[in-house]
Amino acid sequence: MLSKPLDLDEALNSILQHVRAPNTKELASLDRAHHRVTAAPVCAPTDLPPFRASAMDGYAYLWSANLDSLKLIGVSLAGHPFTDAVDNGQCVRIMTGAALPAATDTVVIQEDCTVRDNQIIVATPPAEGANVRSVGHDVKQNQVILHKGKTITAFDVGTLAGCGIAEVEVFARPRIGVFSTGDELQVPGSALAYGNIFDSNRYTVVELLADLPVEVDNLGVLPDDTAAISHALLAASARCDVLLTSGGVSVGDADHVKDTLEAIGTLDFWRLNLKPGKPLAFGEIGDCLFFGLPGNPVSTIVTLLMIAKPAIAQLCGTTPTPPLTFRCELRDTIIHRAGREEYQRGVVSNDHPHPTVNTTGDQSSNRMSSFTHANCLIRIPKDCDDLLRGSTVDVLPLYGLA
Ligand code: AMP
Ligand code: MG
């Protein structure tokens, strides 16, 4: 067990080495594929478009034909191709998405023509091949459209559907057990006893896992009691691939999670050089990965987003990449003492001439309200002192993280 506090990137790298690659695969139908991870490359079974198609409403003809006298001989609509022969000097009325008749190669848009007695007069001749989508112009047959380990987005679902693929091979979903810990915690909706608070972490954690292809077991609240924690974690570790708890990982008299983990499994480390999120216990119980997240709600969220979620994403079959970050002008002064990386909640605004960022005020780690209007995290590097108003900071949009 490492007793030295780890920097965020050290902790994440160390955890990712413990995360095994998924090996169970299954088929997901298209309506169940969103957010799943491909277990094999997906190839296009056909060209898209599968036939030469018009990109505009107009008239299809052979470009080399004599444009003085184009005779209109039929109509090609989407889903109703014109299949008769088109001779040189003839043309076919054609709509967007309709198949180009054989022996035509160009579409003149209707705005560039006049029609008189079944004759088309082209006012502005288009270039050869204009307004025609060639076969495979979007996707070529046998082309890899989704590589292995890709999280399937809504766009990918559309691409799969467009290729006529009804089901896709994906990795099975790991099972994630979520507990809160603490004698003070009550379920929302109950009458609050003096000295108690409502459990919020379990609700946030479950929702923050919703975009991952995981099965979540919401396992309730554990008391601050070593035997009860030990019994519950052992039982859950036999069913789950990952256990997430919050609270009880610090050095208080009622903090039993870390010691329990040491007794029933392996504690790899339990301190981070991070604000918020200093205590975070990571280890294993048998084959089950264990994350003891800190109890303060803001710390729970930041460590879940920055450490546990990337690790779970890897367990799902993806290769985690560093979060999207951009540079932004700071509109507040942030007081910071060098030595620990920090993430504050912020609001990026579309100011001119460039976006700016404000903090959401008091950044105490119990203040869930610091997330209410936040749309980003502001990274304050470890070796940095106070950041003055007007300086440039790294900003991580919460969209994509949360
Ligand atoms: P702990 O590390 O268990 O001492 O928790 C640190 C702080 O977070 C305490 O103020 C706890 O009451 C609070 N806390 C712990 N778990 C939760 C939870 N599930 N929801 C809301 N607050 C919590
Ligand atoms: Mg506690």
Side-chain angles (χ1 to χ4, degrees):
M1 195 256 293
L2 268 171
S3 53
K4 149 178 123 59
L6 294 182
D7 289 342
L8 176 60
D9 54 344
E10 286 177 321
L12 183 57
N13 288 338
S14 153
I15 289 171
L16 292 181
Q17 315 222 327
H18 288 80
V19 178
R20 63 186 182 282
N23 50 23
T24 314
K25 302 170 183 182
E26 59 194 29
L27 286 175
S29 59
L30 216 44
D31 56 348
R32 301 265 158 177
H34 193 197
H35 297 315
R36 302 296 299 268
V37 178
T38 52
V42 181
C43 296
T46 178
D47 287 307
L48 279 188
F51 51 84
R52 293 183 312 144
S54 179
M56 299 294 278
D57 296 334
Y59 300 90
Y61 66 102
L62 185 65
W63 185 78
S64 56
N66 178 1
L67 278 189
D68 294 341
S69 57
L70 278 180
K71 184 167 181 238
L72 182 61
I73 60 157
V75 182
S76 184
L77 302 175
H80 301 280
F82 181 85
T83 50
D84 292 350
V86 181
D87 293 336
N88 198 332
Q90 296 183 329
C91 71
V92 167
R93 174 93 174 118
I94 194 163
M95 299 293 117
T96 305
L100 225 70
T104 68
D105 61 4
T106 301
V107 171
V108 57
I109 61 172
Q110 60 194 29
E111 292 82 350
D112 287 344
C113 308
T114 46
V115 189
R116 201 179 305 138
D117 301 333
N118 264 6
Q119 295 288 323
I120 305 302
I121 295 124
V122 178
T124 316
E128 184 172 8
N131 304 313
V132 175
R133 299 170 181 155
S134 58
V135 173
H137 158 252
D138 183 8
V139 171
K140 298 252 182 302
Q141 186 176 25
N142 297 326
Q143 174 189 330
V144 175
I145 46 172
L146 302 182
H147 59 75
K148 180 181 168 183
K150 167 99 170 62
T151 299
I152 298 174
T153 62
F155 312 118
D156 296 331
V157 172
T159 301
L160 293 166
C163 288
I165 297 170
E167 44 184 26
V168 59
E169 199 178 7
V170 294
F171 289 118
R173 291 185 288 185
R175 184 172 291 276
I176 317 293
V178 180
F179 290 102
S180 289
T181 73
D183 286 346
E184 75 280 31
L185 300 181
Q186 284 188 220
V187 175
S190 55
L192 198 61
Y194 177 66
N196 282 3
I197 57 169
F198 291 117
D199 174 12
S200 66
N201 288 343
R202 204 157 38 95
Y203 298 84
T204 337
V205 169
V206 167
E207 293 307 326
L208 287 173
L209 295 175
D211 63 342
L212 289 176
V214 295
E215 302 257 19
V216 176
D217 275 359
N218 189 336
L219 297 172
V221 179
L222 294 174
D224 291 320
D225 174 82
T226 308
I229 296 173
S230 167
H231 181 261
L233 294 187
L234 269 176
S237 68
R239 290 194 316 273
C240 295
D241 301 288
V242 177
L243 288 181
L244 299 174
T245 63
S246 61
V249 283
S250 199
V251 289
D253 294 349
D255 292 338
H256 304 303
V257 171
K258 178 167 57 74
D259 294 345
T260 305
L261 175 62
E262 249 179 326
I264 63 174
T266 318
L267 173 66
D268 291 331
F269 62 84
W270 67 279
R271 274 186 304 171
L272 293 178
N273 205 19
L274 178 70
K275 184 180 177 185
K278 192 171 174 197
L280 177 135
F282 172 72
E284 294 99 23
I285 307 170
D287 287 338
C288 178
L289 300 177
F290 179 87
F291 293 86
L293 305 176
N296 273 309
V298 172
S299 313
T300 312
I301 296 171
V302 169
T303 50
L304 178 70
L305 296 181
M306 303 307 290
I307 294 197
K309 262 191 104 170
I312 295 171
Q314 180 165 309
L315 188 66
C316 294
T318 65
T319 307
T321 48
L324 177 66
T325 303
F326 62 92
R327 306 281 286 160
C328 198
E329 183 190 324
L330 180 65
R331 283 307 197 88
D332 296 317
T333 288
I334 293 179
I335 304 298
H336 184 254
R337 197 150 37 95
R340 197 149 63 119
E341 185 172 333
E342 180 174 355
Y343 287 85
Q344 295 207 353
R345 276 69 66 214
V347 185
V348 176
S349 308
N350 268 331
D351 282 340
H352 294 289
H354 49 241
T356 58
V357 64
N358 287 86
T359 71
T360 54
D362 184 340
Q363 297 284 310
S364 305
S365 58
N366 62 311
R367 286 192 76 237
M368 268 304 285
S369 52
S370 68
F371 266 109
T372 305
H373 300 292
N375 60 12
C376 71
L377 295 177
I378 305 170
R379 176 191 284 140
I380 301 115
K382 179 183 170 182
D383 51 7
C384 163
D385 287 313
D386 296 348
L387 287 169
L388 301 181
R389 182 187 158 92
S391 55
T392 305
V393 288
D394 277 344
V395 155
L396 290 67
L398 282 174
Y399 165 83
L401 275 179

